[in-house]
Each structure stands twice: as C-alpha cells, then as structure tokens.
Amino acid sequence: MALITISGYPCSGKTRRAHQIKAALERRLEDPSYAGPQLKVVIVSDDTLNISRDAYKDSRSEKPARGALFTAMQRAMGQDTILIVDAMNYIKGFRYQMYCAAREQRLRVCTVYVVATQDLVKEWNISRTDGKPYVQETLDNLLMRFEEPSSMVRWDSPLITVPWLDEDIPADDIWKAVTEGNVKPPNAGTQAVPKAPTDALRALEATTTAMVAAIMAEQAASGGLGGPVTLSLPDDVKTSVALPARSITLSELQRTKRQFVAVNKKAITLGTTEKGALDWSEGSIAQKFAAYIEENIRP
Ligand code: ADP
Ligand code: MG
C-alpha cells in the first residue's frame, strides 16, 4: 500500500519517530470511521534485522548491511502493508532505489526527515539508553557523508520534516500521503509496456563503462576542474555531463555506475520504466547516466 522512508542523522530520534508514526497510523486504521482496506503497519530497521552499528564503520561493511535492508524492505512491501523503513537512508542513490522498488509495486510513498542538530545527536549518542551507541569516529563520518533529502526531487517527495522540538509527528500529513497520495503512473499489468530490446542490458553495461572511462580520462586531462564537459563514447555517441570541481575517484564513479546499472537493470528486465522513457539506445542511456551522476555525485 505504502512505503514511508525515514531519513535522518544517527541518533536523531528516527526509531522514536517510527514508533510514533506506527502508533498514529494504527490508531486511525482501528478507528470505526475508517472505511478503507485492512492494513498492517510494519517497521523494518537495523535493529529488527540485527545489523550492528559497527556496520557503518566503513563503506565495505556498510554495503551488505544496506543490501540486507533493501532485501528485507522488498520482502515486506505489499498492498496490505504500510511499511516504515527506519534507517538513516542517507544516500540519495539508495533512496532512489527504494523509491523505484516501491513504484514497481505501485505503492504510495513518503519520506519523513527526522531532524536534530549535529550537537544534539552527539549528545544523544552518548546518553542513548539502548546501549547501542555509535563509535565517535563513525558518527562524525556519517554526519559528514549524510545526503539530505530534498522535496525538489521526486524520490524524496512528498517530504515531511519533523524537527526535534516537536513533541509529536504530523500524523495527518503522513496519513494523507499514505492513504490519498498519488500512486505513480501504472506499469506492467494495466498497460502494455513494450519490452525493452534484448540487447538493452548489454548497452546499459557497455555505455556506463565507457562513460566511467571517459570521465576519468577527461579529469586526467583537465586536472579535475569540473564544469560541463562533452564525453565522446563509442559509436559516435556524445553526451554532456556537469562534473564537480574536484577529482572524482574511480571507485566513487564505479559505485555510482553500479547503483545506476542495478536500478535500470531491474527496469529493463521487468519492462517497467519511467513514463515515456522506453528508449534504451546508447545515447539515451548515456543521457540518463549523466543526469544520475549529476544528481548523485557529491559536489
Ligand atoms: P535513532 O533511531 O535515530 O538512532 P533513537 O530514536 O533511538 O534514534 O534515539 C536516540 C536517543 O536520543 C534516545 O536515547 C532518545 O531518548 C534520544 N532522543 C531522540 N529524540 C529525542 C528528542 N526529540 N529529544 C530528546 N531526546 C531524544
Ligand atoms: Mg534507530
């Protein structure tokens, strides 16, 4: 039915808010005046999956943790469920991936941004009552890497922000988003979606690989000045991309590429895509990957 993605700093009160949301939704679902379908409210979190705080120590151990969260989330999503994903969800690309997964299942979505200042979360980390604090260094690191949700991008909206001073959550807004919000355009099932060409997967891999190489070459040539550049790819494909004014590392680019490929691979194999975007030509893939890089590579 719906996916509620929580996002926020470590120790910002996400779990506390998740339980407030769950309780508020259950109250409404049990109210005699509620005439909608029977729904259950489920929370998936690091704690429910037994993922230790140590997993966030470095990106190598974080990856499988994020994978486990994504798998659990996909398993728990459904038409009879309001799913709350209580985790930091601090990577834009990851939120995008969850959004795509929710859309495939035709769920309503909303993002709840739990806000507290960095000073407060450091304080609360020390005084946590569940005995599961983050190591100071990990906490600092996460605060630095955090990619704030934005109401301007479709995968974070509607965005509901809950500041630390608020005693309660804006239950009406959340209820509205999960029961009345737009279900994004229908996909397979109700509409005949043309299957992507069988070589779309190959084009996806080859084009993104070529772009990673072209960006690395461009950076080596310019010394990482950034700004808009035109990349020449095989088969006379050209695409422009705005690069940040710093050297992007190869591993950073490859990570971004893998995220992009994973998301789109799914779309290709399921035959579901963004509205109107059924074009898996090299040029179109290059354009999409360029946009994805601009949105997901830190400035
Ligand atoms: P998270 O899930 O983001 O790690 P928790 O909900 O587990 O955060 O809260 C972490 C700690 O911070 C808890 O000990 C909690 O009591 C405290 N805390 C959370 N939100 C607030 C708040 N708004 N005001 C005061 N203390 C808070
Ligand atoms: Mg928590």
Side-chain angles (χ1 to χ4, degrees), residues 11 13-16 45-47 53 86-87 128 130 134:
C11 287
K14 298 182 301 298
T15 297
R16 176 166 164 255
S45 74
D46 289 348
D47 294 331
R53 306 278 187 251
D86 166 22
R128 285 189 79 98
D130 59 3
Y134 293 81

